Short mmCIF file of all heavy atoms in Angstrom, two decimals:
data_model
loop_
_atom_site.label_atom_id
_atom_site.label_comp_id
_atom_site.label_asym_id
_atom_site.label_seq_id
_atom_site.Cartn_x
_atom_site.Cartn_y
_atom_site.Cartn_z
N TRP A 127 -0.95 -14.92 2.52
CA TRP A 127 -1.68 -13.68 2.26
C TRP A 127 -2.21 -13.67 0.84
O TRP A 127 -1.60 -14.23 -0.07
CB TRP A 127 -0.77 -12.46 2.45
CG TRP A 127 -0.16 -12.40 3.82
CD1 TRP A 127 1.04 -12.90 4.20
CD2 TRP A 127 -0.73 -11.81 4.98
NE1 TRP A 127 1.26 -12.66 5.54
CE2 TRP A 127 0.18 -11.99 6.04
CE3 TRP A 127 -1.92 -11.12 5.24
CZ2 TRP A 127 -0.05 -11.52 7.32
CZ3 TRP A 127 -2.16 -10.66 6.52
CH2 TRP A 127 -1.23 -10.86 7.54
N ALA A 128 -3.35 -13.01 0.65
CA ALA A 128 -3.94 -12.86 -0.68
C ALA A 128 -4.02 -11.38 -1.02
O ALA A 128 -4.46 -10.58 -0.19
CB ALA A 128 -5.34 -13.48 -0.71
N PHE A 129 -3.60 -11.02 -2.23
CA PHE A 129 -3.57 -9.62 -2.64
C PHE A 129 -4.76 -9.23 -3.51
O PHE A 129 -4.82 -8.10 -3.99
CB PHE A 129 -2.26 -9.32 -3.37
CG PHE A 129 -1.06 -9.29 -2.45
CD1 PHE A 129 -0.28 -10.42 -2.28
CD2 PHE A 129 -0.75 -8.15 -1.74
CE1 PHE A 129 0.82 -10.41 -1.43
CE2 PHE A 129 0.35 -8.12 -0.88
CZ PHE A 129 1.14 -9.25 -0.73
N GLY A 130 -5.67 -10.13 -3.75
CA GLY A 130 -6.86 -9.79 -4.51
C GLY A 130 -6.61 -9.69 -6.00
O GLY A 130 -5.52 -9.98 -6.50
N ASP A 131 -7.62 -9.28 -6.72
CA ASP A 131 -7.57 -9.16 -8.17
C ASP A 131 -7.09 -7.76 -8.53
O ASP A 131 -7.76 -6.77 -8.21
CB ASP A 131 -8.96 -9.42 -8.75
CG ASP A 131 -8.98 -9.34 -10.27
OD1 ASP A 131 -7.94 -9.01 -10.87
OD2 ASP A 131 -10.04 -9.61 -10.84
N PRO A 132 -5.93 -7.63 -9.23
CA PRO A 132 -5.45 -6.29 -9.59
C PRO A 132 -6.45 -5.47 -10.38
O PRO A 132 -6.40 -4.23 -10.35
CB PRO A 132 -4.19 -6.59 -10.41
CG PRO A 132 -3.73 -7.93 -9.93
CD PRO A 132 -4.99 -8.69 -9.62
N ALA A 133 -7.37 -6.14 -11.08
CA ALA A 133 -8.37 -5.40 -11.86
C ALA A 133 -9.31 -4.59 -10.96
O ALA A 133 -9.98 -3.67 -11.43
CB ALA A 133 -9.17 -6.35 -12.73
N THR A 134 -9.36 -4.95 -9.67
CA THR A 134 -10.26 -4.25 -8.75
C THR A 134 -9.55 -3.14 -7.96
O THR A 134 -10.18 -2.47 -7.15
CB THR A 134 -10.87 -5.24 -7.75
OG1 THR A 134 -9.84 -5.77 -6.90
CG2 THR A 134 -11.55 -6.40 -8.48
N TYR A 135 -8.25 -2.94 -8.19
CA TYR A 135 -7.53 -1.91 -7.45
C TYR A 135 -8.02 -0.52 -7.84
O TYR A 135 -8.47 -0.29 -8.97
CB TYR A 135 -6.02 -2.00 -7.71
CG TYR A 135 -5.35 -3.27 -7.24
CD1 TYR A 135 -4.12 -3.67 -7.76
CD2 TYR A 135 -5.93 -4.10 -6.27
CE1 TYR A 135 -3.49 -4.83 -7.33
CE2 TYR A 135 -5.32 -5.26 -5.84
CZ TYR A 135 -4.10 -5.62 -6.38
OH TYR A 135 -3.48 -6.76 -5.96
N ASP A 136 -7.91 0.41 -6.90
CA ASP A 136 -8.29 1.80 -7.15
C ASP A 136 -7.53 2.32 -8.37
O ASP A 136 -6.29 2.34 -8.38
CB ASP A 136 -7.95 2.64 -5.92
CG ASP A 136 -8.45 4.07 -6.02
OD1 ASP A 136 -8.60 4.59 -7.14
OD2 ASP A 136 -8.69 4.68 -4.96
N PRO A 137 -8.23 2.76 -9.40
CA PRO A 137 -7.55 3.20 -10.63
C PRO A 137 -6.83 4.54 -10.48
O PRO A 137 -6.18 4.98 -11.44
CB PRO A 137 -8.69 3.29 -11.65
CG PRO A 137 -9.90 3.57 -10.82
CD PRO A 137 -9.71 2.81 -9.54
N HIS A 138 -6.93 5.18 -9.33
CA HIS A 138 -6.32 6.48 -9.14
C HIS A 138 -5.24 6.48 -8.05
O HIS A 138 -4.68 7.53 -7.75
CB HIS A 138 -7.38 7.52 -8.78
CG HIS A 138 -8.50 7.59 -9.76
ND1 HIS A 138 -8.35 8.04 -11.05
CD2 HIS A 138 -9.81 7.24 -9.64
CE1 HIS A 138 -9.49 7.99 -11.69
NE2 HIS A 138 -10.40 7.50 -10.86
N ASP A 139 -4.95 5.32 -7.47
CA ASP A 139 -4.03 5.27 -6.33
C ASP A 139 -2.97 4.21 -6.57
O ASP A 139 -3.29 3.05 -6.85
CB ASP A 139 -4.81 4.96 -5.05
CG ASP A 139 -4.01 5.27 -3.79
OD1 ASP A 139 -2.78 5.47 -3.89
OD2 ASP A 139 -4.61 5.30 -2.70
N ASP A 140 -1.69 4.59 -6.45
CA ASP A 140 -0.58 3.63 -6.59
C ASP A 140 -0.53 2.66 -5.42
O ASP A 140 -0.10 1.51 -5.58
CB ASP A 140 0.75 4.36 -6.68
CG ASP A 140 0.91 5.15 -7.97
OD1 ASP A 140 0.05 5.00 -8.87
OD2 ASP A 140 1.90 5.91 -8.07
N LEU A 141 -0.91 3.12 -4.23
CA LEU A 141 -0.89 2.28 -3.04
C LEU A 141 -2.13 1.40 -3.04
O LEU A 141 -3.26 1.90 -3.01
CB LEU A 141 -0.85 3.15 -1.78
CG LEU A 141 -0.89 2.42 -0.44
CD1 LEU A 141 0.34 1.54 -0.25
CD2 LEU A 141 -1.01 3.42 0.71
N VAL A 142 -1.93 0.07 -3.05
CA VAL A 142 -3.07 -0.83 -3.21
C VAL A 142 -3.26 -1.78 -2.03
O VAL A 142 -4.30 -2.44 -1.93
CB VAL A 142 -2.96 -1.64 -4.52
CG1 VAL A 142 -2.97 -0.72 -5.73
CG2 VAL A 142 -1.71 -2.52 -4.53
N ALA A 143 -2.29 -1.89 -1.13
CA ALA A 143 -2.44 -2.79 0.01
C ALA A 143 -1.51 -2.36 1.13
O ALA A 143 -0.46 -1.73 0.89
CB ALA A 143 -2.15 -4.24 -0.38
N ILE A 144 -1.88 -2.69 2.36
CA ILE A 144 -1.06 -2.41 3.55
C ILE A 144 -1.07 -3.66 4.42
O ILE A 144 -2.13 -4.24 4.68
CB ILE A 144 -1.62 -1.21 4.35
CG1 ILE A 144 -1.63 0.05 3.48
CG2 ILE A 144 -0.79 -0.97 5.61
CD1 ILE A 144 -2.29 1.25 4.16
N GLY A 145 0.13 -4.07 4.86
CA GLY A 145 0.20 -5.21 5.76
C GLY A 145 1.00 -6.36 5.19
O GLY A 145 2.00 -6.16 4.49
N ALA A 146 0.59 -7.58 5.48
CA ALA A 146 1.24 -8.82 5.04
C ALA A 146 2.64 -8.93 5.64
O ALA A 146 2.93 -8.34 6.69
CB ALA A 146 1.27 -8.91 3.52
N ASP A 147 3.51 -9.71 5.00
CA ASP A 147 4.87 -9.91 5.47
C ASP A 147 5.81 -9.91 4.28
O ASP A 147 5.39 -9.68 3.14
CB ASP A 147 4.99 -11.21 6.29
CG ASP A 147 4.56 -12.44 5.48
OD1 ASP A 147 4.84 -12.50 4.26
OD2 ASP A 147 3.95 -13.36 6.08
N LEU A 148 7.09 -10.16 4.55
CA LEU A 148 8.09 -10.16 3.49
C LEU A 148 8.69 -11.54 3.29
O LEU A 148 9.82 -11.67 2.82
CB LEU A 148 9.19 -9.14 3.80
CG LEU A 148 8.78 -7.67 3.76
CD1 LEU A 148 9.92 -6.78 4.23
CD2 LEU A 148 8.33 -7.27 2.35
N ALA A 149 7.95 -12.59 3.61
CA ALA A 149 8.40 -13.94 3.36
C ALA A 149 8.58 -14.15 1.85
O ALA A 149 7.91 -13.49 1.05
CB ALA A 149 7.39 -14.94 3.91
N PRO A 150 9.46 -15.05 1.44
CA PRO A 150 9.69 -15.25 0.00
C PRO A 150 8.42 -15.53 -0.78
O PRO A 150 8.22 -14.97 -1.87
CB PRO A 150 10.65 -16.44 -0.03
CG PRO A 150 11.40 -16.36 1.25
CD PRO A 150 10.40 -15.87 2.25
N GLY A 151 7.55 -16.39 -0.26
CA GLY A 151 6.32 -16.70 -0.96
C GLY A 151 5.42 -15.49 -1.12
O GLY A 151 4.74 -15.33 -2.16
N THR A 152 5.41 -14.62 -0.13
CA THR A 152 4.60 -13.40 -0.20
C THR A 152 5.15 -12.45 -1.25
O THR A 152 4.40 -11.88 -2.06
CB THR A 152 4.55 -12.71 1.16
OG1 THR A 152 3.99 -13.60 2.13
CG2 THR A 152 3.72 -11.44 1.10
N LEU A 153 6.47 -12.25 -1.26
CA LEU A 153 7.08 -11.37 -2.25
C LEU A 153 6.83 -11.87 -3.66
O LEU A 153 6.45 -11.09 -4.55
CB LEU A 153 8.58 -11.25 -1.99
CG LEU A 153 8.98 -10.37 -0.81
CD1 LEU A 153 10.46 -10.54 -0.49
CD2 LEU A 153 8.68 -8.91 -1.10
N LEU A 154 7.02 -13.16 -3.90
CA LEU A 154 6.81 -13.69 -5.24
C LEU A 154 5.35 -13.58 -5.66
O LEU A 154 5.05 -13.24 -6.82
CB LEU A 154 7.28 -15.14 -5.31
CG LEU A 154 8.78 -15.36 -5.11
CD1 LEU A 154 9.10 -16.85 -5.19
CD2 LEU A 154 9.60 -14.60 -6.15
N ALA A 155 4.43 -13.84 -4.73
CA ALA A 155 3.01 -13.69 -5.05
C ALA A 155 2.69 -12.25 -5.42
O ALA A 155 1.90 -11.99 -6.35
CB ALA A 155 2.16 -14.14 -3.86
N ALA A 156 3.29 -11.31 -4.72
CA ALA A 156 3.05 -9.89 -5.01
C ALA A 156 3.57 -9.52 -6.40
O ALA A 156 2.86 -8.90 -7.20
CB ALA A 156 3.70 -9.02 -3.95
N TYR A 157 4.82 -9.87 -6.70
CA TYR A 157 5.39 -9.54 -8.00
C TYR A 157 4.57 -10.17 -9.13
O TYR A 157 4.40 -9.57 -10.19
CB TYR A 157 6.84 -9.99 -8.09
CG TYR A 157 7.80 -9.08 -7.37
CD1 TYR A 157 8.40 -9.45 -6.17
CD2 TYR A 157 8.11 -7.82 -7.89
CE1 TYR A 157 9.28 -8.61 -5.51
CE2 TYR A 157 8.98 -6.97 -7.23
CZ TYR A 157 9.56 -7.38 -6.05
OH TYR A 157 10.43 -6.52 -5.40
N ARG A 158 4.10 -11.38 -8.91
CA ARG A 158 3.30 -12.05 -9.94
C ARG A 158 1.96 -11.37 -10.18
O ARG A 158 1.32 -11.60 -11.20
CB ARG A 158 3.11 -13.52 -9.56
CG ARG A 158 4.38 -14.36 -9.75
CD ARG A 158 4.29 -15.71 -9.09
NE ARG A 158 5.44 -16.54 -9.43
CZ ARG A 158 5.95 -17.48 -8.66
NH1 ARG A 158 5.41 -17.74 -7.47
NH2 ARG A 158 7.00 -18.19 -9.07
N ARG A 159 1.54 -10.53 -9.25
CA ARG A 159 0.30 -9.77 -9.42
C ARG A 159 0.57 -8.30 -9.75
O ARG A 159 -0.37 -7.50 -9.81
CB ARG A 159 -0.56 -9.87 -8.16
CG ARG A 159 -1.24 -11.23 -8.02
CD ARG A 159 -2.25 -11.23 -6.90
NE ARG A 159 -2.99 -12.48 -6.88
CZ ARG A 159 -4.12 -12.71 -7.53
NH1 ARG A 159 -4.64 -11.76 -8.27
NH2 ARG A 159 -4.73 -13.87 -7.45
N GLY A 160 1.83 -7.97 -9.92
CA GLY A 160 2.16 -6.61 -10.32
C GLY A 160 2.46 -5.68 -9.17
O GLY A 160 2.54 -4.47 -9.37
N LEU A 161 2.61 -6.20 -7.95
CA LEU A 161 2.87 -5.37 -6.77
C LEU A 161 4.33 -5.44 -6.37
O LEU A 161 5.05 -6.40 -6.70
CB LEU A 161 2.02 -5.82 -5.59
CG LEU A 161 0.53 -5.48 -5.57
CD1 LEU A 161 -0.24 -6.27 -6.62
CD2 LEU A 161 -0.06 -5.76 -4.18
N PHE A 162 4.76 -4.45 -5.60
CA PHE A 162 6.08 -4.48 -4.96
C PHE A 162 5.97 -3.75 -3.62
O PHE A 162 5.11 -2.88 -3.45
CB PHE A 162 7.15 -3.83 -5.85
CG PHE A 162 6.85 -2.42 -6.26
CD1 PHE A 162 7.20 -1.35 -5.45
CD2 PHE A 162 6.21 -2.15 -7.47
CE1 PHE A 162 6.92 -0.04 -5.82
CE2 PHE A 162 5.93 -0.85 -7.85
CZ PHE A 162 6.29 0.21 -7.03
N PRO A 163 6.83 -4.10 -2.65
CA PRO A 163 6.72 -3.51 -1.32
C PRO A 163 7.63 -2.31 -1.12
O PRO A 163 8.67 -2.18 -1.77
CB PRO A 163 7.18 -4.66 -0.43
CG PRO A 163 8.26 -5.32 -1.24
CD PRO A 163 7.81 -5.20 -2.68
N MET A 164 7.25 -1.44 -0.22
CA MET A 164 8.12 -0.38 0.28
C MET A 164 7.74 -0.10 1.73
O MET A 164 6.55 -0.13 2.07
CB MET A 164 7.99 0.90 -0.54
CG MET A 164 8.49 0.78 -1.96
SD MET A 164 8.60 2.40 -2.80
CE MET A 164 10.12 3.02 -2.07
N PRO A 165 8.73 0.16 2.58
CA PRO A 165 8.41 0.50 3.97
C PRO A 165 7.61 1.80 4.04
O PRO A 165 7.74 2.68 3.19
CB PRO A 165 9.78 0.66 4.63
CG PRO A 165 10.75 0.00 3.71
CD PRO A 165 10.17 0.13 2.33
N SER A 166 6.80 1.91 5.08
CA SER A 166 6.00 3.12 5.26
C SER A 166 6.85 4.30 5.68
O SER A 166 6.45 5.46 5.53
CB SER A 166 4.94 2.87 6.34
OG SER A 166 5.55 2.70 7.60
N GLY A 167 8.03 4.02 6.21
CA GLY A 167 8.91 5.08 6.68
C GLY A 167 8.96 5.20 8.18
O GLY A 167 9.79 5.92 8.73
N SER A 168 8.07 4.48 8.87
CA SER A 168 8.04 4.50 10.33
C SER A 168 8.31 3.09 10.85
O SER A 168 7.57 2.16 10.50
CB SER A 168 6.68 4.98 10.84
OG SER A 168 6.40 6.28 10.38
N PRO A 169 9.37 2.89 11.65
CA PRO A 169 9.69 1.57 12.15
C PRO A 169 8.49 0.93 12.87
O PRO A 169 7.81 1.58 13.66
CB PRO A 169 10.85 1.81 13.12
CG PRO A 169 11.48 3.08 12.64
CD PRO A 169 10.34 3.90 12.11
N GLY A 170 8.25 -0.34 12.56
CA GLY A 170 7.16 -1.06 13.20
C GLY A 170 5.83 -0.94 12.50
O GLY A 170 4.90 -1.69 12.83
N ASP A 171 5.71 -0.01 11.55
CA ASP A 171 4.45 0.13 10.83
C ASP A 171 4.32 -0.96 9.77
O ASP A 171 5.33 -1.51 9.30
CB ASP A 171 4.37 1.50 10.15
CG ASP A 171 3.95 2.59 11.12
OD1 ASP A 171 3.73 2.27 12.30
OD2 ASP A 171 3.85 3.75 10.70
N PRO A 172 3.10 -1.28 9.34
CA PRO A 172 2.91 -2.31 8.32
C PRO A 172 3.56 -1.92 6.99
O PRO A 172 3.77 -0.74 6.70
CB PRO A 172 1.38 -2.40 8.17
CG PRO A 172 0.83 -1.79 9.41
CD PRO A 172 1.82 -0.76 9.84
N MET A 173 3.88 -2.94 6.19
CA MET A 173 4.47 -2.71 4.88
C MET A 173 3.43 -2.14 3.91
O MET A 173 2.25 -2.46 4.00
CB MET A 173 5.01 -4.04 4.33
CG MET A 173 5.90 -3.91 3.11
SD MET A 173 7.40 -2.92 3.38
CE MET A 173 8.15 -3.80 4.77
N TYR A 174 3.89 -1.27 3.01
CA TYR A 174 3.04 -0.74 1.94
C TYR A 174 3.32 -1.53 0.66
O TYR A 174 4.45 -1.91 0.39
CB TYR A 174 3.35 0.73 1.68
CG TYR A 174 2.82 1.70 2.72
CD1 TYR A 174 3.07 3.07 2.59
CD2 TYR A 174 2.08 1.27 3.82
CE1 TYR A 174 2.61 3.98 3.53
CE2 TYR A 174 1.61 2.18 4.75
CZ TYR A 174 1.86 3.53 4.62
OH TYR A 174 1.40 4.43 5.54
#
């Protein structure tokens, strides 16, 4: 998965992506770009 350039994220919204997975490589790629995951709160829904 690719999370894009953080410089292009909405400057008014903390939520910047929906989807992907929680594989180790995905988590590390996210943290290296300044992101972190949280569940949406509904089982089966994509990750925020």
Side-chain angles (χ1 to χ4, degrees):
W127 303 92
F129 289 95
D131 181 356
T134 66
Y135 296 160
D136 187 333
H138 305 292
D139 196 345
D140 291 351
L141 177 63
V142 298
I144 300 174
D147 58 37
L148 292 174
T152 301
L153 284 169
L154 295 179
Y157 282 108
R158 286 167 173 151
R159 286 189 174 270
L161 285 70
F162 57 86
M164 293 191 77
S166 67
S168 300
D171 280 0
M173 191 61 56
Y174 285 179

